Amino acid sequence: MQLIDTFGRVATDLRVSLTDRCTLRCAYCMPAEGVPWLPGDHILTDDEVVRLVGLAVGRLGVTEVRLTGGEPTLRPGLAELIRRLAAVEPRPELSLTTNGLTLARGGPSGAAALREAGLDRVNVSLDTVDPERFRAITRRDRFHDVVAGLAAAAEAGLTPVKVNAVLLRGVNDDEAPSLLRWCLERGYELRFIEQMPLDAQHGWDRRMMVSAGETLAALRAEFDLEPLGGRGSAPAELYLVDGGPGRVGVIGSVTAPFCAACDRVRLTADGHVRDCLFARDETDLRTPMRAGASDEELARRWQAAVWRKRAGHGIGEPNFRQPARPMSAIGG
Ligand code: SAM
Ligand code: SF4
């Protein structure tokens, strides 16, 4: 069995949100006061996460599992959950997207404990190398914790350590080269992601978005970038920097969507399948699961959810509407 849609795309990359809560308040993600959090009893338990991931991997052809949120390191017992997910057969590749605040701390959400539990890789979000700007963007004074977290991730062998950055016009849009230089010096692989209409406050404005094209132009002014193929006829998104070995990603999710090659599917913290970040419909697996549905029935529901996946996200089309769920509750 596979997770296939009517366009023949097969989903093999599962993003699992473990919580919608977060320790930061990034301006492009949520307002200063946060958002109404999901009720605690709606959040999948560890047993439920393990069961659904087991189904996805064991029956539905998923090969990669990325844990995200909200901030996934807020999930109590994360290392133990990772240990259980690493024992799923056939073992999926396990990665984590995090703001990095806990990674250097030691203890159960520290990089060493997560690695030891079976985590393979991390993506850490960092939009600036200026502590003051970091505070302005995230509304928290935690720049040095992220920097230490990145170092702890590399030290623990959660490699290649990847850094996700969002550029915001008038805030950090002059930082593409400095971020890249900073990451190259430390051996991290940087990816720029275009700001998407997924903020809880629905304040996204296309004119304010820094496009992948602008980011590339800024990088090319200081670095030699050689496109690394891999996306067929789609625009390159990975580049070798100054002949290598350093690489940089510039991802035009809005201006150069890769929907035709999309292999992702998402499971929200409250147990809903989403076939796209921008999906308007979701399929609830939690309710039937708690009502006693069999693995077979849950797998069929999951397949039916993916089968309906639309051709593209449709940003920019007249009938585009931002999904009701913000990024923090979908799982980025
Ligand atoms: N809290 C973790 C973190 O920040 O890495 C994981 C969840 S966060 C929602 C996942 C990724 O989504 C981060 O790299 C973040 O920068 C990105 N993100 C959040 N809101 C976004 C938006 N409106 N447009 C583009 N990327 C966004
Ligand atoms: Fe939290 Fe990640 Fe959203 Fe920032 S982007 S507020 S770290 S969930």
Side-chain angles (χ1 to χ4, degrees):
M1 277 167 106
Q2 280 182 318
L3 292 171
I4 190 165
D5 66 34
T6 54
F7 299 95
R9 294 170 296 189
V10 178
T12 54
D13 178 349
L14 172 64
R15 314 267 157 134
V16 182
S17 175
L18 295 180
T19 176
D20 60 328
R21 295 175 185 244
C22 193
T23 35
L24 298 182
R25 294 288 181 272
C26 304
Y28 50 80
C29 185
M30 56 172 93
E33 66 276 15
V35 293
W37 310 121
L38 292 167
D41 62 338
H42 286 200
I43 304 287
L44 297 183
T45 64
D46 283 4
D47 285 348
E48 289 170 336
V49 171
V50 172
R51 179 174 176 200
L52 291 179
V53 170
L55 260 182
V57 171
R59 289 189 182 223
L60 296 169
V62 163
T63 55
E64 288 175 54
V65 177
R66 172 170 294 277
L67 304 174
T68 179
E71 178 44 43
T73 56
L74 281 177
R75 174 111 180 175
L78 176 63
E80 190 45 37
L81 178 58
I82 288 173
R83 195 180 308 286
R84 294 179 65 187
L85 295 176
V88 165
E89 292 285 344
R91 188 197 191 286
E93 192 180 306
L94 281 173
S95 57
L96 179 79
T97 302
T98 172
N99 62 28
L101 295 187
T102 67
L103 295 178
R105 233 190 245 163
S109 297
L114 300 181
R115 175 76 180 133
E116 191 274 326
L119 189 67
D120 297 310
R121 290 188 291 104
V122 281
N123 281 47
V124 176
S125 301
L126 181 65
D127 306 317
T128 173
V129 289
D130 178 304
E132 261 316 298
R133 282 186 177 180
F134 182 92
R135 199 174 53 77
I137 294 169
T138 67
R139 304 183 177 107
R140 299 287 187 273
D141 191 11
R142 306 292 300 272
F143 174 76
H144 297 288
D145 293 317
V146 182
V147 173
L150 278 160
E155 168 84 23
L158 292 166
T159 48
V161 173
K162 293 189 181 164
V163 173
N164 292 353
V166 178
L167 294 179
L168 307 171
R169 195 167 304 286
V171 179
N172 62 343
D173 53 348
D174 56 347
E175 273 199 72
S178 47
L179 267 164
L180 180 53
R181 195 163 297 111
W182 192 91
C183 286
L184 289 172
E185 282 165 11
R186 291 160 179 80
Y188 309 148
E189 192 172 309
L190 176 62
R191 266 142 217 268
F192 291 98
I193 305 169
E194 282 177 344
Q195 188 184 0
M196 295 180 279
L198 287 170
D199 54 312
Q201 57 275 41
H202 288 225
W204 183 84
D205 176 348
R206 190 180 183 118
R207 289 161 301 184
M208 296 300 284
M209 183 191 76
V210 179
S211 69
E214 286 175 80
T215 304
L216 269 176
L219 293 175
R220 285 203 156 111
E222 300 197 24
F223 299 93
D224 178 42
L225 300 186
E226 182 190 326
L228 291 165
R231 279 227 179 253
S233 57
E237 62 166 29
L238 258 186
Y239 299 82
L240 203 63
V241 185
D242 289 341
R247 304 197 304 181
V248 65
V250 182
I251 301 168
S253 321
V254 176
T255 58
F258 44 86
C259 304
C262 180
D263 60 359
R264 294 175 191 173
V265 60
R266 294 182 151 81
L267 181 65
T268 63
D270 56 346
H272 290 220
V273 170
R274 292 181 65 89
D275 58 37
C276 174
L277 276 174
F278 297 95
R280 293 198 205 117
D281 304 315
E282 306 182 336
T283 298
D284 178 10
L285 294 184
R286 184 190 79 242
T287 305
M289 177 165 57
R290 290 186 180 171
S294 66
D295 283 358
E296 184 61 35
E297 193 181 330
L298 292 172
R300 263 191 280 109
R301 276 177 183 264
W302 201 326
Q303 276 190 308
V306 171
W307 182 249
R308 291 192 294 267
K309 180 163 168 151
R310 290 182 301 158
H313 57 46
I315 299 172
E317 288 170 15
N319 63 348
F320 176 77
R321 273 189 290 123
Q322 180 171 342
R325 264 194 208 256
M327 181 74 128
S328 57
I330 293 171

